[in-house]
Amino acid sequence: METELSKQLGIEHAVFGFTPFPAVAAAISRAGGLGVLGAVRYTAPDALERDLEWMQQHTGGKPYGLDVVMPAKKVEGVTEADVEAMIPQGHRRFVRETLAKYGVPELPEGEASGWRVTGWMEQVARSQLDVAFDYPIRLLANALGSPPPDVVERARGRGVLTAALAGSAKHARRHAEAGIDVVVAQGCEAGGHTGEIATMVLTPEVVDAVDPLPVLAAGGIGSGAQIAAGLALGAQGVWLGSIWLTTTEADLHSRALTRKLLAAGSGDTVRSRALTGKPARQLRTAWTDAWDDPGGPGALPMPLQGLLVAEALSRIQKYETGPLLGTPVGQIVGRMTSERSVREVFDDLTRGFERAVDRINRIAGRS
């Protein structure tokens, strides 16, 4: 599964694996792909430094990357407390009532919620970059549009390729104009923040829109045949995220959540604003249903929604409240039926890719 882009980065397979777990990212790189560590949960620079140091020691000299959440528009002088003050009391009451309905206990005294949407603040992302650029990362991806021009130049000066996710050809053209090196065409089947266009339609549109920039196909990809399809559509690789959630190296901190993922079908996800305020594909749960119910208050815009529900989500995860328990995940969840190591996933992907290419060759009359 080699392409010009994979050769440029020095990886065996044109598989780019996004994950919030250092152990998974390192295993992806060791298996011949490019592990890309998600940085949004690292609100403290020393925590990111610790995990990048760990990856440096456990990737076997193979390349890896980092994914940040840096907003395209800069917001000056706004603190998290300022944003908290903007949340309506009616929405806070709705959260309390929903948790009470399902009997979710409070967090122990002194225990803070484990997840906060602070990566949207530019100063947080910049502090992450100050740490990351001390390490030999090969790719810097941004999930909220093109990073600021000075960040693109800073990366280029260190020989680091930049990538940005796009949900439409229009967005992809903006990335190209901003000097981005790689565009990730993310279809609506993907987990997390996503647009409305399917991968099969989006990928060739983006390839044509930004030619000759390399494009990665993303969304609903979790088999070798699907990788072959992405490359056939003109992509120079694939960007996979959800498929790694049920690997043995992943650390979801919840066996109940792992069981839900393994039991879910491809129709058991929904694009909902319940998590961050922007449409994000995730497991459909009683929590997403409550926020999407026309009779409810509706989700707040980003970043208000993320700050509003941060503690609630920590409580739901800590106490494994089944009906409410969920996570961002793509429609590929229907193929995630057993726990496997990253290496086993890669072996399955490469074998499936070879079978798909052989099948097309036979159809084309080539041996």
Side-chain angles (χ1 to χ4, degrees):
M1 296 188 288
E2 275 191 335
T3 65
E4 291 182 14
L5 180 60
S6 68
K7 292 175 183 177
Q8 181 181 358
L9 288 167
I11 57 177
E12 182 180 358
H13 305 299
V15 175
F16 295 70
F18 166 80
T19 174
F21 308 118
V24 175
I28 291 169
S29 290
R30 290 197 306 272
L34 188 84
V36 182
L37 179 65
V40 70
R41 68 191 180 95
Y42 292 99
T43 56
D46 58 342
L48 177 60
E49 182 177 10
R50 178 198 64 219
D51 282 357
L52 286 177
E53 187 66 34
W54 185 92
M55 284 189 61
Q56 186 67 18
Q57 298 171 9
H58 291 81
T59 49
K62 301 295 182 66
Y64 58 91
L66 188 74
D67 180 278
V68 298
V69 181
M70 178 171 279
K73 295 182 180 179
K74 189 172 183 177
V75 180
E76 297 280 4
V78 178
T79 67
E80 187 173 312
D82 295 330
V83 179
E84 287 269 16
M86 299 168 64
I87 298 174
Q89 289 303 313
H91 282 73
R92 295 188 185 278
R93 182 168 58 252
F94 181 75
V95 170
R96 291 194 299 270
E97 291 173 350
T98 303
L99 294 177
K101 177 181 178 181
Y102 290 92
V104 185
E106 297 276 354
L107 292 176
E109 186 175 352
E111 182 174 327
S113 59
W115 182 76
R116 305 289 284 176
V117 181
T118 54
W120 64 275
M121 294 180 177
E122 183 170 337
Q123 64 266 32
V124 174
R126 286 188 178 274
S127 69
Q128 294 168 347
L129 294 180
D130 289 339
V131 170
F133 283 137
D134 285 336
Y135 290 85
I137 62 172
R138 293 300 310 279
L139 181 76
L140 174 66
N142 187 39
L144 281 183
S146 305
D150 68 295
V151 172
V152 175
E153 288 303 315
R154 189 179 177 189
R156 184 169 291 123
R158 287 167 169 75
V160 178
L161 296 184
T162 54
L165 276 62
S168 70
K170 180 180 178 181
H171 293 156
R173 291 189 192 96
R174 290 177 184 168
H175 295 332
E177 292 167 358
I180 297 301
D181 299 302
V182 181
V183 177
V184 182
Q186 181 174 267
C188 64
E189 303 97 323
H193 294 132
T194 183
E196 299 179 349
I197 305 174
T199 304
M200 183 66 74
V201 174
L202 179 65
T203 301
E205 287 187 352
V206 171
V207 168
D208 290 342
V210 301
D211 184 59
L213 287 184
V215 172
L216 302 179
I221 300 175
S223 72
Q226 289 169 317
I227 294 175
L231 300 187
L233 293 172
Q236 285 201 35
V238 292
W239 177 273
L240 309 183
S242 298
I243 196 72
W244 316 112
L245 289 174
T246 52
T247 56
T248 53
E249 293 91 344
D251 186 12
L252 286 178
H253 300 293
S254 172
R255 292 302 302 170
L257 180 54
T258 298
R259 289 192 294 269
K260 286 191 77 169
L261 288 169
L262 295 174
S266 57
D268 293 327
T269 68
V270 63
R271 287 177 70 247
S272 172
R273 297 178 184 270
L275 184 63
T276 67
K278 284 191 174 185
R281 186 169 297 284
Q282 54 203 282
L283 280 180
R284 182 176 182 178
T285 65
W287 179 256
T288 62
D289 286 347
W291 284 104
D292 296 336
D293 189 333
L300 295 168
M302 188 180 191
L304 301 182
Q305 182 70 14
L307 291 171
L308 168 66
V309 304
E311 182 179 325
L313 295 179
S314 291
R315 290 166 60 183
I316 291 167
Q317 292 167 4
K318 180 179 181 66
Y319 299 108
E320 298 189 330
T321 310
L324 304 179
L325 189 63
T327 185
V329 69
Q331 291 179 329
I332 199 64
V333 69
R335 293 185 64 91
M336 296 156 51
T337 56
S338 63
E339 291 184 81
R340 298 177 294 169
S341 69
V342 168
R343 170 59 70 178
E344 288 174 314
V345 172
F346 254 91
D347 289 344
D348 183 58
L349 293 176
T350 53
R351 285 195 298 265
F353 179 82
E354 291 170 355
R355 288 194 298 268
V357 171
D358 287 344
R359 185 163 56 246
I360 295 301
N361 282 334
R362 288 196 300 272
I363 293 171
R366 296 189 294 267
S367 60

